Amino acid sequence: MMIELKNRFILAPVKLGYSDGTGLVTEKHLQFYKRRNRHIGAIIPEPLYMDAGLRELPTQLGIDHDDKIAGILRLTEIIHQHGAKAIAHLNHPGRMANPKIPGNYFWSSTAVACENGGAIPQNMDREMMEKVIQMFTDAARRTVSAGFDMIELQLGHGYLLAQFLSPQVNHRTDEYGGGFENRIRFPLELVQTVISVVDIPVIIRISGDEMTPEGFHIDEMIHFARIMETSGAAAIHVSAGSVCSSPPWFFQHMFVPKGKTWALADTIREKIDIPVIYVGRINTKEDINTLIHKHNAAYLAIGRSLIADPDFTGKYLGKVEGNIAPCMACAEGCLGGVKSGNGLQCLVNPEVGRESDIVKKARHKKTFAVVGGGLAGMEAAIILKKRGHTVDLYEREELGGQFNLAPLTPNKKSMATLAPYLIGEMLHHDINVIFQEATAADLTSKYDGVIIATGSTPAVINIPGLDKFYGAEILLEKNLPRNKKVLIIGGGLIGVDIATALIPLDNQVIIVKRTSDFGEDMESISKNLSLKIMKEKGTIFSDHTSIERIEGNTVFATRDGEKIQFENIDVVVVSAGMKSYNVLEKELTGKLPVYVIGDARDPGNAQDSIHGAYECVKTL
């Protein structure tokens, strides 16, 4: 039976990557969960590895030996501080163990590697199955000793037990493969054994659908959920996708529609009597109300929204004042930070992973000018005001800067929430915005310091005959071409985003790049999906290409030393990088303290802008 929680909200198991390679709990873990333990019914810490040879991350938390128990006890004590329950998430990755980690090994229902990459696994025999069952039961007993109130077993998302469940992966011809009853045999035995050896509730996490044609689908998972219920499961946690075959669904990325996991959970909830936990891009108050009042959700598992805003549930419950910082489901900071080895981060929230080093009031109040109202400028103004300073922000056009173009691409509409949030924070903190160009004379006479956040401008390229062209402003409705042949010069993030925006309007797109890696500076899921869309729609990719001149509608170029040309080009778009725009620094230097942030300092992405601004001003 599910333990009663103080509210219906559960912090979902999000990988942090904050350990030091030993698998032990660090102060960073404690601070992360402490910041999120107040307005939550339960917390599921990141997946706990049960064997050091089965890690997904070198910096993952472990529960493979008794020496981990003392540290995890400190973690569960932190979780319990304000009445939240602690749920241990146990997962065997099978063939999805990280092949880059020395000493990792790979077992599965198959001897076939994941199509997205990975090691070739060993096809498990019965002796291996016994070892896995023992591994789970040993780990389950340790979770009880470590103060956990419940256990969650991962049977979805393409990990080991789902590798047995999935007809796409499980091609066995013995009693553990083939029909549904055989494919569930080993997972069912493992679940029943774990439930029998512990006296705390066990939750089963599943993918309601693997979101691939050959995978398992909702009809089988309804049947499986019923079997889990009769086997003693306390609740079913319904997600979707596979980390191997359908990662956008696994990560609930902004490129996939919101609500599919909720519909899957609905279908299962109607067929069983134990609670169902809903999950998947729950990132607004409206989402919560919809799930409670229209879907009758007993429990809501929320992950990235509590990363972007640790007070998300507190603000929903009316216990914390303020605007909700939006999670855009972009995966830039969370997935990107973990993959890079830097640990969990967040594009929107620069305090993630550094919860013990947050903004504090300044000892001496000063008056600052921030010049530029893009992401960096607004972030700087907000942090300065939080520190107690007086702030004027100068902006000659509109707040949001170039980021206002980001949501205009078809699959990035969720990014439309960021600039309004920062504008709302500016209003909340009563920051004075002056819509005019700042002059050096005004700045030197009125302020104790100036923050320059004037952004960047497109890099100029010298191509004979290039008289009329667009940059990113082609994304504005008034500029969008339809049924045209478009040449995009530059194949980085902006060039690829522009291409994906033009394709649905029946434009024929050609994209050229001096090197070969189109979208090289993009988050991996966005990049892969964008390039897939472009290829499916007939986009012409021309790598190692230099444009030499343009004559009328003909573009002359060189590709790998060979002369080529593109005929009948209607529209040319130039996306060849950005250069800093900063005309004030020289005039102000020596007259008062000057700080340059964002693209004005070094062109980068949205996370670079926000984090750099935060770092610059948090001690001023």
Side-chain angles (χ1 to χ4, degrees), residues 10-16 32 36 40 44 205 237 278-283 300-310 312-313 327 334 344:
I10 299 171
L11 175 55
V14 177
K15 297 181 182 73
L16 303 186
F32 177 86
R36 292 161 176 81
I40 200 81
I44 311 175
R205 193 175 206 197
H237 186 171
Y278 286 65
V279 72
R281 285 179 66 185
I282 304 169
N283 52 23
L300 284 65
I302 301 171
R304 291 169 298 175
S305 296
L306 282 160
I307 298 168
D309 191 334
F312 175 56
T313 54
C327 169
C334 46
L344 185 80

Side-chain angles (χ1 to χ4, degrees), residues 58 102 124 174 267 273 313-314 327 331 347 398 409 435 458 466 489 529 553:
M124 291 174 64
D174 61 7
T267 305
D273 293 323
T313 54
C327 169
L347 184 155
E398 63 175 331
T409 57
F435 285 101
L466 181 62
I489 303 173
L529 289 175
N553 297 109

